[in-house]
Amino acid sequence: MLKRKVNCFWLMITGIILAACTPDTLDANSKSKSNIAKAQAPSIPDYPPMYNVEVNICGNIIAPIKDGKRCIRHNLRLWGPVEEAKLVQTGIPLGTMSAVDHKLAISSKGCYPEYSQPSNQQFYWADLLIYVNKTGKKPTIEVNTTQLSNQEISSLINSRFSTPTIATFGGVGCKPLPVQK
């Protein structure tokens, strides 16, 4: 009988100790798991502003008619804020031709991926050639910008391949424009 009381006593003491220690043990484990997860999570540096930019050029240009308008749409990825977009005449108006070559110039801090970091705020050539008719009103340029989040910029920069659907400045593109603002 004494042996049974001693066994019950030890079982009761063990149960009390386990009950008293269990919440602290779980809290310590969850805290250590949380600390391990934080230590393993890569920190994302702060990136300068980057924008997805959609440029719509409509009006007196040589382009297919859609919804009753002649428009060309061009997508870009640019550093810094986009201040202005303009068409710059690059071709020579010939008497036999009804249109003159123009290129799109955008004021920003450079384009991604050509510039891995922002450069100077100035006009850069976009890789887009537009034929503007000699007679009639000037075409209109509409610029829609969407700022990327820091997470989106980080995953874009750290990915092996840039999104091929976003037009990059190729050829003569993303070179500083030799014309002053």
Side-chain angles (χ1 to χ4, degrees):
M1 178 113 151
L2 182 64
K3 191 175 183 182
R4 193 180 330 175
K5 287 183 183 181
V6 170
N7 284 343
C8 287
F9 175 76
W10 282 113
L11 282 173
M12 189 170 65
I13 295 292
T14 305
I16 291 171
I17 291 171
L18 285 175
C21 292
T22 301
D24 291 337
T25 305
L26 288 178
D27 285 344
N29 283 341
S30 66
K31 286 179 185 174
S32 67
K33 286 180 183 178
S34 174
N35 291 340
I36 290 170
K38 286 180 185 175
Q40 289 176 345
S43 61
I44 297 174
D46 285 331
Y47 289 101
M50 184 187 287
Y51 297 85
N52 281 334
V53 179
E54 181 184 281
V55 181
N56 292 312
I57 303 163
C58 297
N60 193 22
I61 60 175
I62 297 178
I65 296 175
K66 186 175 180 184
D67 298 328
K69 294 181 179 180
R70 292 188 185 273
C71 295
I72 294 175
R73 178 180 293 162
H74 197 62
N75 294 315
L76 306 163
R77 189 165 283 136
L78 302 171
W79 289 109
V82 175
E83 292 181 351
E84 184 182 355
K86 63 182 178 179
L87 288 176
V88 178
Q89 181 176 328
T90 55
I92 300 170
L94 300 173
T96 58
M97 303 295 285
S98 65
V100 180
D101 298 358
H102 285 71
K103 289 186 181 177
L104 178 65
I106 296 185
S107 175
S108 71
K109 291 187 176 185
C111 55
Y112 182 83
E114 286 285 323
Y115 289 85
S116 60
Q117 291 292 316
S119 186
N120 297 328
Q121 183 79 27
Q122 60 190 6
F123 278 98
Y124 292 90
W125 288 117
D127 192 22
L128 181 63
L129 185 61
I130 299 167
Y131 297 97
V132 178
N133 291 315
K134 290 183 203 176
T135 58
K137 293 179 4 181
K138 290 174 69 175
T140 60
I141 302 172
E142 180 183 319
V143 179
N144 298 314
T145 60
T146 306
Q147 186 171 359
L148 299 174
S149 70
N150 204 46
Q151 177 67 39
E152 290 171 320
I153 297 170
S154 176
S155 52
L156 175 72
I157 288 175
N158 293 320
S159 69
R160 286 191 179 170
F161 304 104
S162 293
T163 307
T165 56
I166 297 292
T168 58
F169 291 82
V172 297
C174 208
K175 304 291 184 225
L177 187 67
V179 176
Q180 298 295 324
K181 283 176 116 178

